[in-house]
Amino acid sequence: MDDSWCEALFASALQRSAAPTAESVAAAISRAVRRFGTHGCVSRMAQEFGDHSQAAAERMRWVRQLAAEAAAPATCEPGPEAARMAGSPATTADQRNQHGRNETQ
């Protein structure tokens, strides 16, 4: 996450009530940058802080949380490749068997 993501998301039309997903956050950022440009996003954000500082501060907190969640890597169970890299005994035996098969073929 970087500041330009937050500025574009702030300037976007995305609303909390939309219960945005990571995909909709990314789409909102892209639309805002295409529509306003990066400098335009910053200008819109600055105007909101000047006109409605309390509401703008609340939106920015929400925006930063959304951007951080969208940028966070998905958590999932490690697959077989992770077990091999960790050198688990079962995997090491499987590798020996595979290696033995490869030599005889």
Side-chain angles (χ1 to χ4, degrees):
M1 167 186 75
D2 71 16
D3 289 340
S4 61
W5 278 23
C6 293
E7 293 156 355
L9 194 51
F10 185 97
S12 77
L14 194 64
Q15 295 297 313
R16 184 175 293 192
S17 60
T21 63
E23 292 81 20
S24 64
V25 168
I29 290 169
S30 293
R31 278 192 304 274
V33 170
R34 279 194 313 270
R35 184 172 179 198
F36 306 119
T38 54
H39 294 299
C41 290
V42 172
S43 294
R44 291 177 66 84
M45 185 181 72
Q47 172 126 21
E48 280 301 306
F49 270 98
D51 293 347
H52 311 283
S53 59
Q54 189 64 28
E58 288 176 29
R59 181 165 175 85
M60 183 52 83
R61 279 190 289 278
W62 176 69
V63 159
R64 291 184 83 60
Q65 178 185 358
L66 272 181
E69 289 169 2
T75 56
C76 60
E77 294 294 319
E81 201 58 37
R84 271 194 285 281
M85 296 187 107
S88 70
T91 305
T92 304
D94 290 342
Q95 288 171 336
R96 280 194 300 266
N97 290 340
Q98 172 109 18
H99 183 66
R101 281 192 298 261
N102 288 342
E103 284 183 356
T104 59
Q105 291 177 352

